[in-house]
Amino acid sequence: MIAKNNVKDALSLYFISGTQDTDRDLHTVLEDALAGGITAFQYREKGAGSLTGKDKEQMARTLQKQCRQQNIPFIVNDDVDLALAIGADGVHVGQEDSRAEEVRLQIGPEMLLGVSAHTISEAEHALQSGADYIGVGPMYPTSTKSDAKDVCGPEMIASMRNANIDLPIVGIGGISAENAQEVIAGGADGISLISAISTANDPREKAAVLFHQILTAKQKR
Ligand SMILES: Cc1ncsc1CCOP(=O)(O)O
Ligand SMILES: C=C1C=NC(C(F)(F)F)=NC1=N
């Protein structure tokens, strides 16, 4: 179980993927990304052709093992039952209905709870619901999530900080090596991304470049 006192560091370079996000074997992509220096991984199996049931559980268990070997937190998107069944380090849920409070009761105080937030009020609600971190976005246009909300940009993170929201925040949506620094400059503790790594020719190299960008941006703050 990840120590809750260094969630901000753990979220510096937060890779998210499901089998739908790459043409390669996801295990290989994750292995490369871990070698490149990602600090957290979220298994997000979503959309047409995604794994379900036992296949999904087996995939989750093998990916979790890869993360465990590197002492990297393994988070499950949405599927709380799966997260509990395999003893994941955390779950990430959307803001819809009062899901976050319910999920916190289901997972207990130890597991990490991540909540998506698109506005200051959603961020405050997530905080009250017991979230350990919030994912704010989309930072930039993205084609990875078809139902993504309007682009809010790193400015949204800055306004959350000005509203004294000091929960760990990761920016998400359309993040690449070219704009990662802006997201950190906006006040994020880390960046989370899918396609920049899942579709990279060399996921290891890409992760290393992104990690360096984040360190550089954090030193400039
Ligand atoms: C899951 C999610 N939530 C907001 S945007 C997004 C997709 C991010 O994918 P990418 O990093 O490829 O833009
Ligand atoms: C929709 C999402 C929004 N944010 C995040 C995270 F980056 F983890 F915070 N994960 C998601 N699946």
Side-chain angles (χ1 to χ4, degrees):
M1 212 44 85
I2 173 178
K4 288 218 177 180
N5 58 5
N6 69 350
V7 172
K8 292 198 174 196
D9 290 343
L11 297 179
S12 294
L13 179 53
Y14 186 1
F15 176 40
I16 301 177
S17 190
T19 55
Q20 75 280 357
D21 298 308
T22 176
D23 302 334
R24 300 168 58 200
D25 176 350
L26 184 53
H27 300 101
T28 315
V29 177
L30 179 57
E31 212 54 40
D32 292 349
L34 286 164
I38 61 167
T39 57
F41 176 70
Q42 179 186 133
Y43 177 46
R44 176 177 175 271
E45 193 67 19
K46 200 119 178 161
S50 55
L51 301 178
T52 57
K54 277 290 166 211
D55 294 340
K56 182 180 175 183
E57 180 178 330
Q58 193 48 40
M59 173 61 76
R61 287 183 184 279
T62 50
L63 298 169
Q64 177 183 37
K65 192 158 178 278
Q66 290 178 251
C67 292
R68 281 259 153 90
Q69 279 164 352
Q70 312 281 330
N71 202 22
I72 293 294
F74 177 81
I75 313 283
V76 174
N77 182 57
D78 258 358
D79 195 335
V80 179
D81 294 334
L82 174 61
L84 288 168
I86 67 174
D89 294 299
V91 289
H92 187 92
V93 295
Q95 184 75 230
E96 60 274 356
D97 54 68
S98 64
R99 182 119 191 264
E101 283 106 339
E102 196 181 294
V103 170
R104 174 51 79 193
L105 291 174
Q106 279 181 277
I107 65 175
E110 282 309 300
M111 270 173 76
L112 273 181
L113 173 60
V115 180
S116 303
H118 189 73
T119 63
I120 290 179
S121 64
E122 284 186 357
E124 284 164 347
H125 184 257
L127 179 66
Q128 282 139 25
S129 308
D132 293 298
Y133 75 83
I134 53 175
V136 179
M139 293 285 105
Y140 308 101
T142 175
S143 53
T144 307
K145 178 181 169 75
S146 50
D147 60 339
K149 297 193 170 162
D150 298 345
V151 170
C152 59
E155 310 76 68
M156 175 51 73
I157 299 175
S159 60
M160 288 177 174
R161 295 302 191 201
N162 292 336
N164 297 319
I165 297 189
D166 57 11
L167 258 183
I169 296 178
V170 286
I172 185 167
I175 297 180
S176 67
E178 286 68 45
N179 58 31
Q181 295 210 36
E182 280 170 24
V183 178
I184 302 296
D189 296 293
I191 58 172
S192 56
L193 39 76
I194 300 179
S195 53
I197 292 179
S198 73
T199 65
N201 290 330
D202 182 346
R204 174 181 178 149
E205 172 60 20
K206 178 59 78 68
V209 165
L210 285 160
F211 189 75
H212 180 72
Q213 297 275 8
I214 293 154
L215 280 191
T216 305
K218 285 190 173 182
Q219 281 153 9
K220 283 179 189 162
R221 276 199 313 205

